Amino acid sequence: MSVLVAYASRHGATQGIAERIAAALGAAGLEATARPVRDAGDLGGYDAFVVGSAVYMFHWLKDATRFVRANRTLLAARPLWLFSSGPLGTETVDAKGRDVLEVSQAKEVAALVETLHARAHTMFFGAWSQGKPVGLGERFVAVMPAARAALPQGDFRDWPLIDAWSAGIADELLRRSGES
C-alpha cells in the first residue's frame, strides 16, 4: 500500500513531522513518501494520504489549502488523515484553562475534515527558532521586543505522540489492505 505524506511548512518543523510520519509508516511495512504539497505530483498512484500544514494566524498555509481543495475528489475517495502543527511552548492549558491544541486549530480544519471524509485530524506542537522572518506576522514579532519575548523558541514537537499517531494510521491501513 502506497501512502503520500504531503505537507506545507514554512521553517521546516512541519516538514520534520511529515518525514517522521512517513518513516514510521515505512517501518510498519507501508510504502510511504513525504513531499511538499507543491511537489506532490500525480496523486493517482497512492492508496492513502496524510496531509499536514503549519498553522499561522489560525489558518493552514495557502499551499496546503489549495492542495486539498484542488484534489478534494481523490482525497475524499481514499483513506485520509490530516495534521497541523503550530503552537509553541510546553503549556498544554492556556491562561483561561483551555486546551492549547484545541484553541490553536486552523479555522478551516473542521470543514476540511468533513468535506474530505478524513479519518482524523490532530494538532501537534511545533518548533521555532528566530531566523529570517517570513510573512507579516513574523516581521511584526521580529521588530517588537515584547512579542519576541512572548514567543518561545525551541523544538516542542512531541515525537512519541507523533509516532503513536503514525502507528495508528499504519495499523488501520495494514488491516484494510489485509481485508482486500
Side-chain angles (χ1 to χ4, degrees):
M1 180 169 275
S2 180
V3 183
L4 174 63
V5 182
Y7 62 88
S9 185
R10 235 188 218 170
H11 295 288
T14 307
Q15 176 182 349
I17 293 169
E19 289 170 350
R20 182 76 167 239
I21 292 167
L25 297 176
L30 298 164
E31 182 184 322
T33 304
R35 287 204 178 121
V37 292
R38 284 188 211 172
D39 302 327
D42 179 17
L43 305 185
Y46 294 102
D47 302 304
F49 302 93
V50 178
V51 180
S53 177
V55 174
Y56 285 87
M57 309 295 274
F58 299 101
H59 290 283
W60 263 22
L61 296 176
K62 288 179 181 164
D63 284 348
T65 54
R66 275 193 288 265
F67 173 80
V68 294
R69 288 182 177 137
N71 296 292
R72 67 181 167 267
T73 302
L74 179 63
L75 294 173
R78 299 192 186 165
L80 169 68
W81 288 263
L82 303 174
F83 75 92
S84 301
S85 70
L88 301 172
T90 57
E91 298 299 321
T92 57
V93 178
D94 70 9
K96 295 180 181 178
R98 302 173 301 180
D99 182 304
V100 170
L101 293 173
E102 285 181 25
V103 298
S104 300
Q105 294 289 336
K107 294 179 181 186
E108 59 273 31
V109 164
L112 291 175
V113 169
E114 184 178 336
T115 303
L116 300 170
H117 310 292
R119 305 292 168 99
H121 169 267
T122 196
M123 180 78 154
F124 298 115
F125 280 96
W128 187 71
S129 61
Q130 199 168 1
K132 183 177 180 184
V134 177
L136 183 62
E138 288 181 34
R139 285 190 204 115
F140 174 75
V141 168
V143 298
M144 300 298 292
R148 221 177 15 240
L151 190 61
Q153 292 188 60
D155 189 344
F156 306 102
R157 294 172 288 184
D158 185 338
W159 297 115
L161 179 63
I162 294 164
D163 291 341
W165 191 70
S166 303
I169 293 171
D171 288 345
E172 186 172 336
L173 290 173
L174 290 168
R175 262 195 322 276
R176 180 184 169 97
S177 68
E179 295 170 2
S180 300

